[in-house]
């Protein structure tokens, strides 16, 4: 869908390029043609005491998403990366949610406007999922670490999305075959911004609310055990939980899958 020269992520395979970009982004970068999961690799580096690092892959053989689901992307189509941040922030779950704001901002800088956010960690274009994030806390070592994994569908064609095409999209399908290396750099800067300052975190939370696709609408929230709760998605609380106005009164939801009803 896009000319190969427009996408430069593969240049990270070259040690000289990698070290130049590492200097620019202020941390080591590991680039894999294929790895089980960038998240598992980054977690094991964090467990071993490594400082801030980005693990990026062209393809994952065992990529995973939230709630144990698989994250599948054909090689060379996506930004698949995990960042180790130190120290471990006090609110790792909030950080996973705010990663969506970082993705939306980075995409906007590359000309992909109007990304919307679906609670808790999805980024959407034209109402379909284009990116997701997950966060793991690693407590070994002195200050602990946050391992943040993000997958962005960048260059997939509709055929490459297969059955997922009803619910998912890619930047290219939306008319924006962005350079994954530029996206990696801009996203890293946006994540740093949110990670380093509580004030930035507060303004990112406000931006999350402004970009929310479901606030003020009737939704169903399904928990991991399958229990469903219906109500009006009233607000995003400061701790990242979703406040649902149900027939029995307000309920604070900490985890689950949201879908629109009606
Ligand atoms: C979700 O929406 O369920 C979260 C998806 C997170 C996927 C990314 S891809 C890079 C990193 N490595 C993984 O195995 N998962 C995350």
């Amino acid at each position: 869908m896009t000319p190969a020269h427009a996408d430069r992520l593969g240049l990270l395979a070259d040690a000289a390029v990698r070290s130049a970009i590492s200097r620019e982004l202020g941390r080591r970068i590991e680039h894999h043609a294929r790895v089980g999961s960038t998240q598992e690799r980054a977690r094991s580096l964090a467990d071993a005491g490594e400082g801030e690092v980005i693990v990026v892959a062209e393809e994952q053989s065992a990529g995973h998403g939230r709630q144990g689901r698989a994250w599948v992307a054909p090689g060379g189509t996506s930004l698949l990366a995990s960042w180790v941040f130190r120290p471990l922030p006090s609110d790792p779950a909030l950080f996973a949610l705010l990663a969506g704001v970082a993705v939306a901002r980075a995409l906007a800088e590359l000309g992909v406007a109007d990304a919307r956010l679906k609670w808790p960690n999805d980024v959407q274009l034209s109402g379909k999922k284009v990116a997701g994030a997950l966060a793991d806390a690693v407590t070994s070592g002195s200050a602990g670490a946050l391992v943040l994994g993000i997958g962005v569908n960048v260059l997939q064609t509709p055929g490459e999305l297969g059955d997922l095409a009803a619910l998912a999209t890619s930047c290219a399908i939306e008319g924006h075959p962005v350079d994954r290396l530029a996206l990696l750099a801009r996203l890293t800067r946006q994540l740093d911004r949110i990670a380093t300052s509580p004030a930035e975190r507060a303004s990112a939370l406000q931006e999350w609310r402004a970009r929310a696709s479901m606030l003020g609408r009737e939704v169903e929230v399904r928990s991991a055990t399958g229990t469903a709760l219906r109500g009006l998605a009233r607000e995003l609380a400061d701790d990242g939980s979703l406040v649902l106005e149900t027939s029995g009164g307000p309920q604070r939801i900490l985890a689950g899958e949201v879908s629109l009803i009606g």
Side-chain angles (χ1 to χ4, degrees):
M1 175 159 280
T2 184
H5 66 265
D7 183 76
R8 300 175 302 147
L9 193 75
L11 296 179
L12 289 177
D14 182 289
V17 175
R18 206 164 53 245
S19 108
I21 306 284
S22 287
R23 267 199 308 280
E24 190 183 318
L25 299 181
R27 68 259 284 164
R28 191 170 82 78
I29 298 174
E30 247 190 42
H31 175 264
H32 298 265
R34 187 174 161 86
V35 71
S37 153
T38 61
Q39 192 71 359
E40 295 318 309
R41 173 67 187 155
R43 279 175 61 121
S44 68
L45 290 171
D47 268 332
E50 174 136 352
E52 297 209 317
V53 59
I54 308 172
V55 179
V56 57
E58 292 290 346
E59 189 173 8
Q60 300 181 119
S61 55
H64 58 87
R66 290 174 51 247
Q67 303 190 327
R69 283 190 294 261
W71 185 266
V72 181
T77 62
S78 298
L79 180 63
L80 306 167
S82 295
W83 288 253
V84 174
F85 288 97
R86 291 188 183 276
L88 176 64
S90 53
D91 45 5
L94 186 59
F95 206 84
L97 185 124
L98 296 183
V101 176
V103 172
R105 288 174 173 173
L107 287 175
E109 287 176 2
L110 295 171
V112 191
D114 296 331
R116 309 293 302 274
L117 301 174
K118 179 183 167 214
W119 190 87
N121 302 352
D122 289 1
V123 182
Q124 299 177 314
L125 291 177
S126 305
K128 293 181 176 181
K129 180 162 177 167
V130 74
L134 56 89
D136 292 313
V138 170
T139 49
S140 54
S142 55
L146 175 75
V147 182
L148 187 67
I150 299 180
V152 187
N153 298 338
V154 179
L155 300 172
Q156 282 96 330
T157 60
E160 284 170 323
L161 288 174
D163 290 347
L164 290 176
L167 299 171
T169 189
S170 72
C171 297
I173 291 170
E174 300 304 319
H176 303 283
V178 299
D179 170 20
R180 290 176 300 154
L181 184 60
L183 181 57
L184 177 73
R186 293 185 185 252
L187 183 48
T188 302
R189 289 201 197 94
Q190 291 295 345
L191 291 171
D192 274 344
R193 206 175 133 187
I194 290 168
T196 48
S197 144
E200 286 286 354
R201 216 123 78 212
S203 77
L205 200 58
Q206 272 308 104
E207 185 168 339
W208 194 100
R209 294 177 176 116
R211 289 183 181 270
S213 60
M214 289 190 171
L215 289 184
R217 304 181 70 178
E218 289 292 327
V219 299
E220 180 176 276
V221 184
R222 197 164 278 277
S223 74
T225 57
T227 325
L229 201 57
R230 288 181 168 215
L232 181 79
R234 182 136 63 90
E235 63 169 318
L236 179 76
D238 285 349
D239 65 357
S241 58
L242 181 69
V243 181
L244 200 64
E245 193 65 58
T246 71
S247 51
Q251 295 260 1
R252 200 168 264 242
I253 315 288
L254 300 174
E257 292 302 317
V258 185
S259 49
L260 285 174
I261 50 178

